[in-house]
């Protein structure tokens, strides 16, 4: 059977493929295999006198790969056309001789000042048309032909010099595209947006039709009249369809820059895999990464923890999507932090055990590479107070001891051939879609409080709490093999999406459609005849309005449901059900009566073909979703797994099965292992000595504890 990665049918791209075949960077070990361990390394930001110490300590920590040169353009091309590669030659050689592979950056993320001086026209413009000054990083327009020429020429230079270097095993193209230059409103961007619209719509009439420009006299007569959604006044409302297309265009413009850089390298050095680090976490959606994932040889991601009680769950949820974008092939954690970052309003540090626990959790979710930003903590500059593998205080530190311990644990997992194994799928898929995330941000919706990604996270956590971990998958993925598919505020549903869902249910699948799903199509147009028009046949419901609640003086702020749950934001006013649909839960109580929702359907179920479609017509917080999953929706959950306070994942490789158990709670949790040899135990204590055939061995999984077992598959 062809692995989905190498099967073009499984493209996740917006245009349907083809997907690049999977290629993974080899280590400098005898067989090239093992867990990759290391981080960003910026030797050019330090005197050369510390390099030997760096390599000695990297070796002590078990580091086997580093990413070099990410922000080094100014040190590589000192003046236009004047290159200095000598220092890079020396450090790559030093690292390589110590068995440390180099993931070499194209160094194009941050351009030197001489370039901006000579060509200020490469600087992006903000929404007000104000030029973004150089001095930070990524101060360039993705659509500038001038900047592209300079960047591609550096890519070629590096590929020519290091393409054959045995210590360079992968290309790290640019860095976190869009972190600082996601939106550009310059004239270059405007012209590129016009061409993008032409490719997407073909004719100007089709643009007018899609964007509904008859409203407020927004008609455009030629592509040249199309503008990016620049600042139109503080309270002005932007055409949401135009805004959504600008988001799509911005993702595409940066992707186009990436593929140009990748192709420039690849034309000279076709043998080494290329990647670029995505930024997938549930608080941001910079790019349409499902679309991007077709373009990399292996998926890599940067993940920074969310402080507070959601820390681990958020990590698992983000990683689940990364693993889906990798089509279950191993993926590369390109960056995370050993402790605090320095760019949040409150930069909490990691507590005992969290450094190792987080790293192992990424492995449990399919990562074969664990890397940090960065190796040596900066002494100056904007990231001085960002944690690193080697802290300011030096090697005699808890962080460095943890880094060394992690190195040993990863080595153990690599030796046991965890690397190369693939994460087993759940039976439940929760859909994430970049279009819906962007569309939910429009200020023109019934409420400005929608967040598709946060709703995905809430459902993900609710499934964890109910003991059935789910997968997060992109809408464009092939989710037909799942038993249950959940759509939390998937606002945008095209007719093709609706058809896929209908087919899936008719064939025996179950869908759970959340409030605010299927309200508009891919052009941001509402279907007529009752909400949610894109899905109303499937759900067997017809709604006329949305009841939005919040802090309105004198009005109830919540609406209760007959199953004890509460809604605090949105109730779809479902006035009629088809003959096949039935009401499971209604709105009830004084608040519902006040809003004239009393007795109205809040949660419905509809039989379609061999399957069933549920509609959850209102927002609910996590405990209420858990109650729903354990109550009205309990037939969908198989149960019988481990304690829900433990995250259990399985990776399968060759004839072995690796089970990961991670404590999600702050207290010690009892873990019973019926089978498998223990490969790794971190923060675990055995309980008692006896072992019984039915309940197996007992352990106490302490706070931040992790156990990994291996079983041979018969
Ligand atoms: C990433 C970036 C790194 C570093 C890190 C700090 O966004 O790629 O260069 O800035 O954040 O957390």
């Amino acid at each position: 059977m062809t692995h989905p990665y190498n099967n073009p049918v499984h493209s996740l791209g917006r245009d349907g493929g083809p997907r690049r075949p999977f290629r993974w960077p080899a280590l400098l070990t005898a067989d090239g295999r093992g867990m990759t361990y290391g981080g960003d390394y910026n030797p050019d930001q330090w005197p050369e006198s510390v390099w030997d110490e760096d390599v000695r300590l990297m070796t002590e920590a078990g580091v086997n790969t580093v990413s070099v040169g990410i922000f080094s353009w100014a040190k590589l091309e000192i003046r236009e056309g004047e290159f200095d590669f000598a220092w890079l030659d020396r450090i790559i050689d030093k690292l390589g001789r110590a068995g440390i592979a180099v993931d070499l950056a194209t160094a194009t993320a941050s351009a030197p000042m001489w370039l901006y001086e000579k060509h200020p026209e490469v600087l992006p413009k903000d929404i007000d048309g104000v030029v973004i000054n150089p001095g930070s990083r990524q101060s360039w327009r993705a659509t500038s032909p001038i900047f592209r020429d300079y960047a591609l020429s550096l890519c070629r230079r590096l590929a020519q010099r290091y393409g054959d270097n045995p210590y360079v095993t992968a290309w790290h193209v640019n860095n976190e595209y869009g972190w600082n230059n996601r939106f550009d409103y310059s004239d270059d961007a405007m012209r590129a947006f016009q061409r993008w619209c032409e490719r997407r719509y073909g004719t100007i009439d089709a643009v007018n039709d899609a964007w509904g420009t008859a409203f407020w006299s927004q008609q455009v007569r030629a592509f040249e009249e199309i503008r990016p959604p620049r600042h139109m006044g503080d309270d002005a409302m932007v055409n949401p369809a135009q805004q959504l297309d600008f988001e799509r265009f911005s993702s595409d413009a940066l992707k186009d820059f990436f593929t140009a850089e990748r192709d420039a390298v690849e034309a000279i050095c076709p043998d080494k895999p290329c990647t670029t680090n995505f930024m997938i976490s549930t608080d941001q959606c910079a790019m349409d990464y499902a679309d991007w994932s077709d373009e990399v040889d292996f998926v890599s991601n940067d993940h920074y923890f969310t402080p507070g009680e959601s820390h681990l769950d958020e990590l698992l949820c983000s990683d689940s999507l990364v693993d889906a974008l990798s089509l279950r092939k191993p993926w590369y954690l390109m960056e995370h932090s050993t402790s605090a970052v320095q760019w949040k309003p409150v930069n909490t540090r990691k507590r005992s055990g969290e450094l190792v626990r987080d790293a192992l959790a990424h492995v449990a979710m399919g990562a074969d590479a664990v890397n940090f930003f960065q190796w040596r903590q900066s002494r100056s500059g904007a990231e001085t107070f960002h944690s690193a593998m080697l802290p300011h205080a030096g090697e005699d530190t808890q962080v460095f001891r943890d880094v060394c311990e992690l190195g040993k644990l990863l080595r153990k997992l690599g030796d046991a051939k965890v690397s190369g194994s693939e994460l087993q799928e759940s039976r439940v898929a929760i859909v994430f879609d970049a279009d819906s995330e962007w569309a939910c941000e429009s200020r023109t919706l019934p409420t400005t409080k929608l967040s598709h990604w946060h709703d995905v996270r809430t459902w993900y956590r609710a499934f964890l709490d109910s003991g059935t971990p789910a997968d997060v998958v992109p809408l464009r993925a092939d989710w037909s093999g799942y038993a249950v598919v959940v759509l939390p505020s998937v606002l945008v549903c095209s007719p093709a999406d609706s058809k896929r869902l209908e087919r899936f249910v008719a064939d025996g699948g179950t869908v759970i459609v959340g409030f605010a799903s299927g309200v508009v199509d891919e052009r941001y147009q509402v279907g007529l005849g009752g909400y949610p028009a894109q899905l109303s046949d499937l759900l067997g419901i017809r709604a006329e309005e949305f009841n939005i609640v919040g802090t309105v003086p004198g009005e109830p702020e919540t609406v209760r449901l007959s199953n004890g749950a509460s809604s605090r934001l949105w109730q779809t006013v479902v006035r009629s059900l088809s003959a096949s649909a039935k009401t499971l839960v209604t709105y009830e109580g004084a608040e519902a009566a006040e809003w004239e929702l009393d007795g109205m359907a809040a949660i419905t179920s509809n039989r379609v073909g061999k399957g069933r479609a549920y509609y959850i017509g209102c927002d609910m917080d996590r405990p209420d979703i858990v109650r729903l999953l354990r109550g009205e929706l309990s037939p969908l959950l198989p149960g019988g797994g481990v304690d829900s306070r433990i995250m259990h994942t399985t990776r399968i490789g060759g004839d072995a099965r690796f089970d990961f158990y991670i404590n999600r709670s702050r207290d010690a949790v009892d873990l019973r292992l019926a089978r498998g040899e223990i490969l790794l135990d971190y923060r675990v204590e055995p309980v008692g000595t006896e072992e019984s055939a039915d309940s197996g061995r007992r352990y106490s999984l302490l706070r931040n504890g992790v156990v990994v077992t291996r079983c041979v598959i018969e």
Side-chain angles (χ1 to χ4, degrees):
M1 197 178 91
T2 325
H3 189 279
Y5 214 110
N6 298 331
N7 182 349
V9 172
H10 289 271
S11 154
L12 300 177
R14 207 176 301 128
D15 302 329
R19 191 175 177 99
R20 285 166 75 86
F22 176 73
R23 293 198 293 167
W24 184 260
L27 294 177
L28 301 180
T29 51
D31 63 358
R33 291 191 57 185
M35 280 285 166
T36 302
Y37 183 41
D40 284 10
Y41 179 38
N42 297 303
D44 47 318
Q45 295 171 14
W46 289 91
E48 212 160 320
S49 54
V50 304
W51 292 3
D52 284 331
E53 185 189 64
D54 282 336
V55 173
R56 174 179 67 80
L57 292 174
M58 283 179 192
T59 310
E60 193 177 319
V63 165
N64 55 27
T65 307
V66 286
S67 296
V68 177
I70 298 172
F71 299 105
S72 307
W73 192 341
K75 279 233 169 160
L76 291 171
E77 191 173 2
I78 301 148
R79 272 172 285 277
E80 182 166 359
E82 195 181 312
F83 293 90
D84 174 12
F85 292 115
W87 67 268
L88 188 54
D89 293 351
R90 285 198 296 282
I91 190 64
I92 292 179
D93 197 56
K94 209 179 263 295
L95 290 162
R97 282 173 191 278
I100 301 168
V102 172
D103 165 42
L104 187 60
T106 56
T108 43
S110 200
M113 205 54 102
W114 57 255
L115 198 161
Y116 295 125
E117 286 284 315
K118 183 167 177 194
H119 292 291
E121 68 274 28
V122 307
L123 294 166
K125 286 193 176 170
D126 73 8
I127 195 163
D128 292 305
V130 175
V131 173
I132 307 280
N133 287 301
S136 182
R137 55 179 166 177
Q138 287 185 332
S139 321
W140 45 268
R141 307 178 180 177
T143 53
S144 158
I146 297 172
F147 187 75
R148 183 179 283 222
D149 277 355
Y150 278 97
L152 298 193
S153 118
L154 182 61
C155 291
R156 285 188 208 103
R157 281 286 187 144
L158 285 160
Q160 275 152 2
R161 191 161 187 103
Y162 299 103
D164 292 334
N165 188 307
Y167 305 140
V168 172
T169 55
W171 291 100
H172 182 298
V173 181
N174 212 292
N175 191 64
E176 289 191 344
Y177 286 91
W179 176 239
N180 295 72
N181 59 355
R182 178 175 165 201
F183 298 119
D184 169 28
Y185 298 85
S186 67
D187 285 355
D188 277 332
M190 177 183 73
R191 283 186 287 272
F193 185 42
Q194 291 165 351
R195 299 287 78 79
W196 184 93
C197 290
E198 195 169 356
R199 280 194 301 279
R200 182 174 172 91
Y201 293 106
T203 64
I204 199 65
D205 289 346
V207 176
N208 282 310
D209 188 35
W211 291 4
T213 55
F215 190 79
W216 287 351
S217 273
Q218 291 173 349
Q219 285 98 337
V220 273
R221 290 158 304 168
F223 286 102
E224 288 64 36
E225 283 185 9
I226 290 177
R227 298 282 172 271
R230 291 173 173 143
H231 185 205
M232 300 166 196
D234 286 346
D235 296 320
M237 275 174 281
V238 177
N239 181 321
Q242 177 193 10
Q243 179 68 40
L244 178 58
D245 271 343
F246 189 65
E247 301 258 8
R248 290 171 174 141
F249 155 76
S250 299
S251 177
D252 283 358
L254 282 156
K255 189 184 75 170
D256 194 54
F257 198 90
F258 161 66
T259 54
E261 291 198 89
R262 179 202 66 196
D263 293 349
V265 169
E266 201 170 57
I268 297 161
C269 173
D271 305 330
K272 294 179 181 169
C274 290
T275 194
T276 188
N277 39 351
F278 296 170
M279 296 178 278
I280 295 173
S281 69
T282 64
D283 279 324
Q284 63 182 352
C285 177
M287 302 287 118
D288 181 350
Y289 287 122
D291 188 44
W292 282 61
S293 69
D294 275 2
E295 300 292 349
V296 290
D297 293 327
F298 60 97
V299 168
S300 60
N301 193 45
D302 295 351
H303 185 271
Y304 287 94
F305 73 98
T306 299
E309 58 80 38
S310 69
H311 181 144
L312 179 65
D313 289 359
E314 192 286 327
L315 179 161
L316 300 169
C317 182
S318 300
D319 279 8
S320 181
L321 179 62
V322 177
D323 195 71
L325 299 192
S326 195
L327 296 179
R328 312 286 163 223
K329 281 288 185 194
W331 49 271
Y332 211 97
L333 177 68
M334 190 62 89
E335 289 179 26
H336 72 316
S337 63
T338 54
S339 189
V341 300
Q342 87 326 333
W343 43 263
K344 296 195 176 187
V346 178
N347 297 296
T348 56
R349 67 188 178 94
K350 287 192 181 176
R351 274 163 289 195
S352 309
E354 287 180 348
L355 183 158
V356 171
R357 189 276 316 265
D358 283 2
L360 295 176
H362 288 295
V363 177
M365 296 302 292
D368 269 8
V370 171
N371 293 280
F372 292 100
F373 175 83
Q374 62 177 328
W375 164 252
R376 188 183 270 277
Q377 190 169 19
S378 296
R379 184 178 202 171
S380 52
E383 297 185 324
T384 304
F385 295 102
H386 192 295
S387 60
M389 298 171 85
L390 183 60
H392 289 148
E395 59 187 290
D396 183 14
T397 48
Q398 190 54 47
V399 165
F400 189 67
R401 280 187 284 279
D402 287 349
V403 162
C404 292
E405 182 169 14
L406 176 60
K408 290 198 187 77
L409 297 174
L410 291 174
R411 171 110 200 217
K412 221 186 234 184
L413 296 180
D415 289 347
K417 305 269 179 290
V418 172
S419 38
S421 64
E422 296 180 15
L423 190 63
Q424 207 171 46
E425 284 184 358
S426 153
R427 52 195 304 281
V428 178
I430 305 172
V431 165
F432 170 78
D433 180 45
D435 277 357
S436 286
E437 174 63 8
W438 294 332
C440 279
E441 285 166 8
S442 172
R443 289 184 49 217
T444 61
L445 289 163
T447 167
T448 54
K449 295 215 173 104
L450 291 183
S451 169
H452 168 53
W453 231 145
H454 288 182
D455 288 341
V456 168
R457 187 173 71 194
T458 301
W459 275 88
Y460 182 84
R461 297 188 73 192
F463 273 101
L464 287 182
D465 288 348
S466 60
T468 305
D471 294 340
V472 179
V473 302
L475 181 60
R476 285 191 295 269
D478 176 11
W479 30 253
S480 58
Y482 284 92
V484 181
V485 172
V486 186
L487 282 84
S489 47
V490 179
L491 189 75
V492 181
C493 261
S494 67
D497 296 329
S498 315
K499 284 221 169 56
R500 278 177 80 203
L501 285 164
E502 276 164 22
R503 220 175 306 125
F504 170 71
V505 177
D507 289 347
T510 299
V511 293
I512 302 173
V513 175
F515 77 98
S517 288
V519 172
V520 297
D521 67 12
E522 74 284 9
R523 300 174 307 164
Y524 221 113
Q525 295 198 0
V526 166
L528 303 180
Y531 305 121
Q534 303 306 322
L535 300 170
S536 50
D537 285 350
L538 175 68
L539 298 169
I541 58 164
R542 189 172 164 274
E544 297 174 20
E545 282 185 288
F546 309 116
N547 193 66
I548 305 298
V549 298
T551 43
V552 179
E555 299 291 5
E557 292 179 12
T558 57
V559 175
R560 277 180 291 130
L561 277 68
S562 57
N563 66 350
S566 297
S567 164
R568 295 179 177 80
L569 178 67
W570 172 306
Q571 302 86 41
T572 303
V573 182
V574 176
R575 291 226 187 258
S576 54
L577 273 70
S578 67
S580 56
K582 58 176 193 229
T583 300
L584 299 182
V585 177
T586 57
Y587 299 106
E588 172 182 285
E591 301 92 345
E594 179 59 27
W595 284 116
E596 299 169 345
L597 298 171
D598 203 7
M600 192 175 277
I603 300 179
T604 62
S605 151
N606 190 30
R607 181 106 213 146
V608 179
K610 294 190 220 143
R612 190 167 284 283
Y614 293 91
Y615 183 59
I616 318 293
C618 60
D619 63 293
M620 278 188 288
D621 61 17
R622 180 158 58 105
D624 284 341
I625 299 179
V626 175
R627 261 194 294 279
L628 185 69
L629 292 174
R630 289 192 172 141
E632 290 81 358
L633 302 182
S634 60
L636 307 179
L637 305 181
V642 294
D643 185 324
S644 65
R645 289 169 301 168
I646 296 173
M647 173 59 167
H648 173 210
T649 70
T650 304
R651 291 183 59 163
I652 308 274
D655 63 353
R657 163 193 171 117
F658 304 98
D659 287 285
F660 289 72
Y661 302 90
I662 308 171
N663 187 351
R664 290 175 63 219
S665 87
R666 292 189 172 189
D667 305 314
V669 181
D670 221 33
L671 172 68
R672 283 167 194 271
L673 292 178
R675 60 178 170 192
E677 149 212 3
I678 296 205
L679 208 54
L680 177 157
D681 53 344
Y682 181 72
R683 299 194 161 232
V684 177
E685 281 172 3
V687 177
T689 46
E690 86 287 8
E691 186 174 322
S692 67
D694 50 339
S695 63
R697 291 153 290 162
R698 277 184 66 199
Y699 298 89
S700 176
L701 205 49
L702 307 180
R703 182 170 178 173
N704 301 325
V706 181
V707 167
V708 185
T709 63
R710 173 176 51 192
C711 292
V712 174
I713 303 171
E714 304 295 331

